Amino acid sequence: MMRLATALAATFLVLASPAAAHRGNSGLTVVEIDPATGVVAVTHRFYAHDVEPALTVLAPNEQPSLDDPEALAALQAHLGERFRIDVDGVTVALHLTGETLAGDNVRIDFAGERAAGPVSEVRVDQDFFSDVHDDMEMQVNVRVGDVTRTVLFRPGTQAQVMRFDR
């Protein structure tokens, strides 16, 4: 009887784990700064099932689907407005460079430039979907050369600074 109870409990945990694996809303931003050229590349990655509910707020008169070009444009504008990066005290102006929509995966790319040279400090601020998901969590990885720093953003998180002095 004990073995049956243990087997049932193990089966329940195995079946429940996929459902529990993605209870919150999350995304990943990767920033790559090339000190030699000054190029700044920013990639935002999300699950479509986290983004599409936000489209009802971002584009209320459009279909809440990434298949709707107006809704996609509203998403791109939201990301462009709500992500800010300063490198050594200078704001980097970013522009949209493309998107990849594949199944449940959403990738939106931006790029900008700064003066070439060493990077000492990067300040990042973002607040995606704050009026939709109160549990949104964004991991932001900033890579300068071969060094990567990671910060997490949740609703209400202030701008965060990463240092790259060696």
Side-chain angles (χ1 to χ4, degrees):
M1 184 67 164
M2 184 62 142
R3 279 191 223 169
L4 177 61
T6 303
L8 287 174
T11 301
F12 174 75
L13 288 173
V14 167
L15 293 175
S17 63
H22 190 76
R23 289 182 185 242
N25 298 288
S26 62
L28 169 67
T29 295
V30 176
V31 177
E32 295 182 87
I33 302 171
D34 184 342
T37 64
V39 171
V40 178
V42 178
T43 300
H44 304 295
R45 296 175 189 258
F46 303 95
Y47 291 108
H49 66 263
D50 287 342
V51 171
E52 287 184 331
L55 296 177
T56 62
V57 173
L58 301 178
N61 298 323
E62 307 303 329
Q63 292 294 316
S65 169
L66 293 165
D67 294 331
D68 183 321
E70 298 299 321
L72 179 58
L75 170 64
Q76 293 165 339
H78 176 79
L79 299 178
E81 293 165 2
R82 302 257 183 129
F83 183 84
R84 293 157 303 280
I85 183 169
D86 298 343
V87 179
D88 292 327
V90 178
T91 300
V92 176
L94 299 171
H95 60 277
L96 179 68
T97 58
E99 75 275 333
T100 304
L101 309 173
D104 197 35
N105 297 306
V106 178
R107 175 182 166 160
I108 310 289
D109 298 313
F110 290 83
E113 290 185 35
R114 63 175 290 273
V119 174
S120 297
E121 182 178 283
V122 176
R123 180 182 181 273
V124 173
D125 194 12
Q126 72 82 34
D127 57 343
F128 299 145
F129 316 129
S130 57
D131 17 353
V132 178
H133 299 306
D134 61 0
D135 65 344
M136 189 70 191
E137 181 174 276
M138 286 297 300
Q139 177 178 321
V140 179
N141 295 342
V142 177
R143 184 175 308 126
V144 176
D146 61 348
V147 177
T148 301
R149 303 273 188 256
T150 301
V151 292
L152 288 175
F153 286 88
R154 293 182 178 93
T157 300
Q158 301 298 311
Q160 298 192 49
V161 175
M162 289 148 278
R163 301 205 189 288
F164 288 89
D165 297 333
R166 289 190 180 199

